[in-house]
Each structure stands twice: as structure tokens, then as C-alpha cells.
């Protein structure tokens, strides 16, 4: 029998204290069904979440729990030692989707899993099926390896989502028991232990926000303050891999395993939002400048090294060797959201948008049931096969299945990242069609963005309406009826309008395709440009080239006009013919045999939906 209370209206992040901006209650943000984000969210509800649930069975994740109860199936633990987190992230997706749509599709699943967790959890609160079900493993004996606190963190986040989305108390009870164990064992009077994979930090802060129990906030603070003191040892890749190389106030360069770095950064920012320690915020903003200013791919991807799934040196961004793990882009969005709440600076929202419409969107197929783990910006002709490390097409599941359920939980809650609001008014950060409500002021947004730059906002009520203007929108035009412009459409800022009664705002963003180059220190793409239209990054895919012309042979003519064909672009340039010499003589101009050609570019997020084939984002100039 379900144990339920009244659902909470809060979304994934609900600061109690020092936020500059206040997230809207989840029901106060609704995406339009036909919009880019709204259609994707519905695809997630219709296909992706159910696909994840099905794979919890086929991958053995649920069997790992069942084998630990009396009379359960026999056999060895299946999957990676952190496989429990696949279940928890899927449960979190279910929680947010229930809160969004009220669905009862997964009621039986929740009943079954709640019973499993209650039976598998030990009397003192411990719960980890790998350690519990593997002979010789001891609790917290290998914190650099076993991900016990990482899994506990995802359990806590799932419980918070289910409590906020449906009022379900069962999972919150289980989560509080394991959190209480963390407080006892690793709190003020416990031993100094941290997990090799940060995640529990932000989860404990959110559990504090949900319950008001200060012990969870203090436990998160201790986890964060213990970082950087060598507690985990060097490991195979060094302490930086575990985010144990420097205290959080001193670690101002993005380094190590990118997902671990970004999850830790989100947790540190969460802690700032509750304790107001300015030194934490200063360090996080410097860290963000390092990650986003010197180590991020143009698609919003993070992590250039496959060897340890890590950030490289500043400007080390090879397109064909990009790791750019999907989970890293999701974590980067979550961190940027917290910094946006902390500071109100629009640059954080712009980078959320970049990741959403490019790297994160590319990671899911048009069916919603196949996924990229890593996201390269170039795939060479002749690449054969697909794996987590080197994709040629999306796969339905992975042995290390962190990304699909991570996508599911993000998309189920993505409406909660679009806007903020309070008694002073409403702030729109992600440009998307939908309806958004703050106390005293509501707004309906109609737009075909990110493909169409025409944004029509109809506001009702009294207060200040703020709309983010992208930094690339140098010639944005504004028309306001029934309100007063307080600040114009400055690129990289916010259009601010005082509303009283009914107010109409029309914002016209220039969507002319543009060529961008990388910083000269990005050696791998010197002499190349990327094509963008609005926030959308484009690529050229082999499927759109005429026979006999390879992606690698293209050179773009930057002086030629770009023609728009719906969401596609037509570009002009040259196709260099094959040369029998591996190192032919340098030819500064097109050779006599080069072929003049027009070719199609497609949004990066849509590549590899027609089967495997070569692709590239950065195009050499003719």
C-alpha cells in the first residue's frame, strides 16, 4: 500500500537561504507540447523512461536487489558495482514525470521497488547491493572504488523527486535511513571518509531542503571540506581523478574526471546557497571560468580525454577525440543552474541552453530509445563499430548505463530550469514556448525557437518581466504594448519590462547563420570554422554529400552565401580530390582539379539518425 502525503511543488533545486533567484514551483512552469523542449519532454515520457525501466530488468539491476531477499533468485551480482544508481536515476525520472503529468503508469513498479528497498536495506540503514551481495566486500572499505556514497546520493535524489512529485513517503523513509547512517559514520564524530565519485554532496543538501534536518546539511559540508586532503590515495590516475587533489576553495582549474568535477561543483554551489560562504562562490565562479572558458567544446561538451574521462589542458579540445560524456553536459547544466540561482548572471543560462540544444540533445535518438555515451565533433570515414568510447551510432543501452537514466531524469524535470520568479516578477532564462507563473505575473510564450527567432510573450498581472537576450543577438528588436521598457535588449543581458495589466512583448532575435572560429590556442581546429544559427551548432554528415565526395575533402568558402532550407543550411566550398601522396605539396589556393560544390549542413543534435557515417562540425576554410 502506498504511503503518501501532499506533493511538494518544488523542482529539483529548492534553495532555502541565499539565492538571488527563486525557482518556480514545478507546476508553475509548463512547456508547450509542440515546442523543441516540450516535444522532447513528451518523448521522454512516452519512450525514454519506459525504455530505462525495461532495461533495469534485462541488465540485471533489479535482479541484484531481488537476490538479496529471502527466496529471491540466485546468481552473481550483475553489471558495474554502481549499477544500483541506474535504478535510482530512473526512479527520479518517474518522480518528476508524475509531478509533471500525474501519470500512474509506473504505480506497480514503485510498489514493487519500495518493497524491495525496504527488505534489502539493513537495520542500520545501509543499502548497496554490490557490497551486500559480493563475498569479501566490506562496507566503505574501498571508498575510491565502490561508489557507495555515490549510489546513496542518487537514492536520496530519487526519494526527493518522488516525494515532491507524488507525495510518496516510502522512498524518503529509506533515503533518510541511509542518510542518517552517513551522518553517524562520517559526521562530526565519525571517520573522515569521502567517496571517489562525488554526488552525495548535492543530494544531502537537497534532503536538508526537503526535511529541514540540519544534520544533512552539515554532513554535506563535511564531505565537501574533506576534499583535497589525499584521503583516497593516488589511485591509477592520481588524486585529481577523485577530486581529492586540492581543497574546494583552492581548486580553481577544472581538472580530472569531468563528471566527478562537475557533480562536486554543483554540490559546493548548493552548499553556498545554504550557508552563504562567499569564499565558496568565488572559487566556483573561477572554476566555471576555467571549465567553460578554456575547456568546453562548442556544443557544450566537457572532457577531452578518453583515458580517464577527464578534462585536458586549457584549449586541449580535439574534435575527433572528444570524450564529451553525456553525463558531463548534464552535470554542467545542473551546476550552471545553481550558479544562475546564486548570482542572477545570464551567462550561466546561456551555457545551459548551449548544452541542451546541442550536446545533450544529440545524445538521444529521434525514437528516444538509443543514446550516445560520448559525443565527438568529428567521425572519420571508415570508422567501424560503436562503443561507449567511440560512437558511430547511438546504442539502446550500455554496460555502464549512467547516461540514459540521467537523460530521463533531466528531461522529466527540464521545465523547472526554464524560469524563476518571486514577488517582484518573472524571469525567463531558457527561451522556449510555454506558460510560466510567478506571484502576480504570468506569461505565455509562443515561439519556434531555437529555429525561429520570433518570440511573442503575453503577460498578465503586475511585476517586472525579464527575458534573457543571447550574447549573439546583436540586432535584436523589441516591441512592447501595454508595458514600459526598463532595460533594452542588450546582447548577453536581460530585456526588462514593467508590466501592469495585459502586456505584450515581441522579441525578434536575428537568426542569420554565422561562422565562428575557436581561440587560436585550440590547435586542433586552427584554420577551421563552425557554423551556427542561433544557439544551434551545425555539422556536415556523409549522408548529405554527393557520391565520390568525402567529409574529409570539404573546404568551406566563407565568402559564399548560406541558404536556409527549413532547419538545414546549404553551404558552398570545394571538394579536394584524392592525392596519391600522403603528404602532397602545399597548395595555398584550390588546385585545378578541385571541385566546386554546394552541400548541406544539419543540426548537430540530429546526426547519426540515418545510420552510421562520417561527420564533422569544424570545417576547414578554402
Amino acid at each position: 500500500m502506498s504511503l503518501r502525503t501532499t506533493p511538494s511543488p518544488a523542482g529539483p533545486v529548492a534553495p532555502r537561504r541565499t539565492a538571488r533567484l527563486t525557482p518556480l514551483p514545478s507546476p508553475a512552469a509548463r512547456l508547450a507540447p509542440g515546442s523543441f523542449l516540450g516535444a522532447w519532454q513528451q518523448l521522454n515520457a512516452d519512450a525514454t523512461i519506459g525504455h530505462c525501466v525495461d532495461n533495469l530488468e534485462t541488465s540485471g539491476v533489479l535482479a541484484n536487489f531481488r537476490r538479496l531477499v529471502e527466496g529471491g533468485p540466485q546468481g552473481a551480482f550483475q553489471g558495474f558495482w554502481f549499477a544500483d544508481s541506474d535504478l535510482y536515476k530512473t526512479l527520479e525520472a518517474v518522480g518528476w514525470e508524475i509531478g509533471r503529468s500525474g501519470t500512474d503508469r509506473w504505480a506497480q513498479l514503485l510498489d514493487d521497488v519500495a518493497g524491495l528497498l525496504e527488505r534489502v536495506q539493513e537495520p542500520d540503514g545501509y543499502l548497496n547491493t554490490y557490497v551486500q551481495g559480493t563475498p569479501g566486500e566490506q562496507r566503505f572499505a574501498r571508498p575510491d572504488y565502490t561508489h557507495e556514497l555515490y549510489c546513496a546520493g542518487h537514492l536520496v535524489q530519487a526519494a526527493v523527486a518522488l516525494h515532491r512529485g507524488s507525495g510518496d513517503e516510502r522512498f524518503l523513509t529509506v533515503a533518510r535511513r541511509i542518510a542518517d547512517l552517513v551522518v553517524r559514520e562520517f559526521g562530526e564524530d565519525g571517520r573522515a571518509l569521502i567517496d571517489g565519485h562525488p554526488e552525495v554532496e548535492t543530494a544531502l543538501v537537497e534532503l536538508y531542503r526537503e526535511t529541514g534536518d540540519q544534520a544533512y546539511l552539515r554532513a554535506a559540508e563535511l564531505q565537501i571540506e574533506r576534499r583535497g586532503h589525499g584521503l583516497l590515495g593516488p589511485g591509477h590516475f592520481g588524486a585529481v581523478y577523485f577530486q581529492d587533489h586540492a581543497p574546494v576553495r583552492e581548486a580553481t582549474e577544472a581538472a580530472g574526471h569531468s563528471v566527478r568535477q562537475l557533480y562536486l561543483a554543483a554540490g559546493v554551489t548548493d552548499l553556498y546557497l545554504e550557508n552563504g560562504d562567499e569564499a565558496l562562490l568565488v572559487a566556483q565562479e573561477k572554476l566555471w571560468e576555467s571549465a567553460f572558458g578554456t575547456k568546453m567544446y562548442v556544443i557544450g561538451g566537457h572532457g577531452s580525454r578518453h583515458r580517464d574521462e577527464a578534462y585536458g589542458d586549457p584549449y586541449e579540445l580535439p574534435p575527433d577525440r572528444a570524450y564529451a560524456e553525456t553525463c558531463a553536459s548534464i552535470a554542467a547544466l545542473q551546476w550552471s543552474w545553481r550558479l544562475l540561482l546564486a548570482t542572477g548572471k545570464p551567462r550561466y543560462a546561456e551555457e545551459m541552453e548551449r548544452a541542451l540544444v546541442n550536446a545533450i540533445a544529440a545524445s538521444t535518438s529521434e525514437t528516444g530509445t538509443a543514446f550516445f555515451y560520448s559525443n565527438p565533433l568529428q567521425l572519420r570515414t571508415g570508422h567501424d563499430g560503436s562503443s561507449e568510447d567511440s560512437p558511430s551510432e547511438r546504442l539502446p543501452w550500455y554496460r555502464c548505463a549512467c547516461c540514459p537514466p540521467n537523460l530521463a531524469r533531466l528531461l522529466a524535470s527540464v521545465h523547472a530550469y526554464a524560469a524563476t520568479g518571486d514577488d517582484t516578477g518573472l524571469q525567463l532564462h531558457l527561451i522556449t514556448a510555454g506558460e510560466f507563473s510567478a506571484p502576480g505575473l504570468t506569461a505565455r510564450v509562443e515561439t519556434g525557437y531555437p529555429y525561429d527567432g520570433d518570440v511573442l510573450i503575453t503577460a498578465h498581472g503586475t511585476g517586472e518581466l525579464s527575458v534573457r537576450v543571447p550574447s549573439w543577438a546583436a540586432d535584436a528588436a523589441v516591441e512592447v504594448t501595454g508595458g514600459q521598457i526598463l532595460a533594452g535588449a542588450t546582447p548577453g543581458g536581460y530585456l526588462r519590462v514593467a508590466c501592469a495589466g495585459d502586456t505584450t512583448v515581441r522579441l525578434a532575435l536575428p537568426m542569420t547563420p554565422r561562422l565562428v572560429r575557436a581561440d587560436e590556442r585550440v590547435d586542433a581546429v586552427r584554420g577551421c570554422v563552425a557554423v551556427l544559427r542561433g544557439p544551434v551548432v551545425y555539422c556536415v554528415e556523409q549522408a548529405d554529400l554527393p557520391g565520390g565526395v568525402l567529409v574529409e575533402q570539404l573546404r568551406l568558402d566563407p565568402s559564399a552565401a548560406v541558404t536556409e532550407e527549413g532547419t538545414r543550411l546549404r553551404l558552398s566550398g570545394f571538394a579536394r580530390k584524392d592525392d596519391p601522396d600522403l603528404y602532397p605539396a602545399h597548395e595555398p589556393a584550390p588546385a585545378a582539379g578541385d571541385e566546386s560544390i554546394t552541400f548541406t549542413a544539419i543540426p548537430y543534435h540530429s546526426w547519426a539518425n540515418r545510420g552510421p557515417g562520417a561527420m564533422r562540425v569544424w570545417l576547414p576554410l578554402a
Side-chain angles (χ1 to χ4, degrees):
M1 180 179 295
S2 298
L3 178 60
R4 301 185 187 279
T5 59
T6 302
S8 161
V13 183
R16 283 174 169 255
R17 293 187 58 189
T18 59
R20 288 280 301 277
L21 298 174
T22 304
L24 292 179
S26 184
R30 285 289 177 262
L31 302 175
S35 65
F36 181 88
L37 291 181
W40 188 10
Q41 187 175 60
Q42 191 59 49
L43 177 67
N44 184 66
D46 293 341
T48 304
I49 297 177
H51 182 78
C52 291
V53 170
D54 291 343
N55 277 276
L56 295 175
E57 291 284 3
T58 57
S59 67
V61 170
L62 286 172
N64 289 334
F65 287 85
R66 294 184 184 122
R67 62 189 283 267
L68 297 180
V69 303
E70 185 176 355
Q74 300 303 302
F77 180 90
Q78 299 181 58
F80 278 101
W81 50 95
F82 46 85
D84 290 4
S85 65
D86 297 343
L87 170 62
Y88 301 147
K89 282 183 278 190
T90 302
L91 291 176
E92 183 181 346
V94 169
W96 296 130
E97 182 56 32
I98 293 172
R100 183 188 78 90
S101 65
T103 181
D104 61 358
R105 176 180 173 184
W106 295 289
Q108 187 61 55
L109 171 75
L110 295 179
D111 287 345
D112 293 344
V113 172
L116 266 179
L117 296 182
E118 290 163 357
R119 285 184 286 168
V120 172
Q121 188 171 38
E122 297 185 7
D124 66 352
Y126 186 82
L127 177 57
N128 183 280
T129 67
Y130 173 73
V131 173
Q132 290 171 272
T134 303
E137 284 290 343
Q138 300 296 319
R139 293 185 184 188
F140 304 113
R142 296 190 290 166
D144 59 330
Y145 174 80
T146 49
H147 288 49
E148 289 158 272
L149 293 182
Y150 169 83
C151 290
H154 278 302
L155 170 57
V156 167
Q157 289 185 311
V160 168
L162 286 161
H163 193 244
R164 290 177 180 171
S166 67
D168 197 320
E169 292 273 1
R170 298 170 298 178
F171 296 91
L172 194 65
T173 299
V174 171
R176 293 197 69 172
R177 292 181 67 199
I178 197 167
D180 290 342
L181 174 67
V182 172
V183 170
R184 290 194 305 271
E185 296 225 1
F186 313 120
E188 299 280 7
D189 301 320
R191 57 190 176 116
L193 178 142
I194 58 174
D195 198 285
H197 198 309
E199 208 287 331
V200 74
E201 298 83 0
T202 194
L204 286 168
V205 174
E206 209 62 46
L207 187 59
Y208 153 71
R209 291 167 175 163
E210 188 69 2
T211 65
D213 191 330
Q214 289 278 347
Y216 303 141
L217 180 62
R218 179 55 180 156
E221 185 174 24
L222 287 169
Q223 287 292 306
I224 288 167
E225 296 293 355
R226 288 168 178 161
R227 291 276 163 189
H229 299 288
L231 294 178
L232 296 172
H236 184 65
F237 298 116
V240 67
Y241 179 75
F242 303 122
Q243 298 301 311
D244 196 26
H245 60 295
V248 295
R249 290 174 176 79
E250 300 172 15
T252 55
E253 180 178 352
H257 188 284
S258 55
V259 178
R260 301 178 195 220
Q261 170 69 95
L262 293 160
Y263 276 167
L264 176 60
V268 175
T269 308
D270 270 325
L271 180 60
Y272 161 76
L273 286 167
E274 300 307 330
N275 70 12
D277 184 343
E278 289 294 331
L280 294 176
L281 180 61
V282 169
Q284 290 311 290
E285 291 209 273
K286 288 180 180 177
L287 189 69
W288 191 92
E289 291 285 0
S290 169
F292 287 79
T294 70
K295 300 187 178 186
M296 180 188 69
Y297 286 97
V298 70
I299 59 170
H302 292 256
S304 59
R305 295 183 179 177
H306 285 238
R307 176 176 176 266
D308 48 353
E309 303 178 305
Y311 283 108
D313 295 329
Y315 309 103
E316 180 190 330
L317 295 165
D320 53 339
R321 293 296 299 160
Y323 196 68
E325 184 181 336
T326 295
C327 285
S329 292
I330 293 171
L333 180 147
Q334 293 169 336
W335 180 30
S336 292
W337 174 244
R338 288 160 170 81
L339 283 171
L340 176 64
L341 298 179
T343 68
K345 295 177 182 178
R347 63 181 182 174
Y348 299 123
E350 182 147 334
E351 294 306 335
M352 291 169 59
E353 176 181 84
R354 181 199 300 271
L356 263 180
V357 304
N358 295 297
I360 298 175
S363 63
T364 308
S365 69
E366 292 175 349
T367 65
T369 58
F371 314 92
F372 279 136
Y373 189 104
S374 59
N375 294 276
L377 286 76
Q378 180 177 346
L379 195 69
R380 298 184 182 280
T381 298
H383 181 88
D384 186 23
S386 191
S387 68
E388 295 175 4
D389 288 341
S390 186
S392 59
E393 58 184 329
R394 298 171 186 85
L395 299 179
W397 203 249
Y398 292 87
R399 183 166 176 259
C400 178
C402 53
C403 297
N406 213 0
L407 284 160
R409 70 176 184 138
L410 172 67
L411 267 295
S413 60
V414 72
H415 58 286
Y417 294 94
T420 56
D422 53 28
D423 292 338
T424 67
L426 179 66
Q427 304 87 39
L428 304 180
H429 306 291
L430 296 180
I431 302 171
T432 179
E435 297 186 3
F436 308 93
S437 301
L441 186 65
T442 64
R444 180 182 180 186
V445 183
E446 299 173 79
T447 182
Y449 193 85
Y451 295 123
D452 187 341
D454 188 29
V455 183
L456 177 64
I457 304 170
T458 306
H460 302 280
T462 301
E464 183 178 303
L465 174 68
S466 299
V467 185
R468 182 179 60 84
V469 180
S471 61
W472 45 262
D475 299 314
V478 178
E479 295 179 8
V480 175
T481 303
Q484 180 182 358
I485 296 178
L486 302 176
T490 303
Y494 283 92
L495 166 68
R496 295 170 46 228
V497 178
C499 302
D502 294 340
T503 304
T504 300
V505 178
R506 184 177 293 275
L507 176 64
L509 301 173
M511 301 295 282
T512 304
R514 64 193 190 280
L515 307 182
V516 303
R517 64 174 180 82
D519 187 288
E520 290 298 323
R521 288 166 285 188
V522 185
D523 300 284
V525 296
R526 187 179 290 124
C528 299
V529 294
V531 183
L532 282 77
R533 183 175 181 272
V536 177
V537 176
Y538 280 72
C539 69
V540 177
E541 199 171 17
Q542 186 64 49
D544 291 311
L545 297 180
V549 176
L550 302 178
V551 164
E552 291 85 356
Q553 296 173 319
L554 292 179
R555 293 190 177 191
L556 179 68
D557 181 357
S559 65
V562 178
T563 304
E564 300 173 23
E565 296 181 348
T567 62
R568 297 180 165 215
L569 302 176
R570 291 289 289 175
L571 309 175
S572 299
F574 301 91
R576 172 144 290 181
K577 294 302 183 180
D578 290 337
D579 194 302
D581 188 353
L582 180 62
Y583 299 104
H586 175 64
E587 296 170 353
D594 287 355
E595 176 185 350
S596 179
I597 186 176
T598 59
F599 53 95
T600 296
I602 63 172
Y604 172 79
H605 65 244
S606 64
W607 83 280
N609 276 293
R610 295 172 289 180
M615 174 278 298
R616 70 185 301 162
V617 168
W618 290 100
L619 302 174
L621 293 176

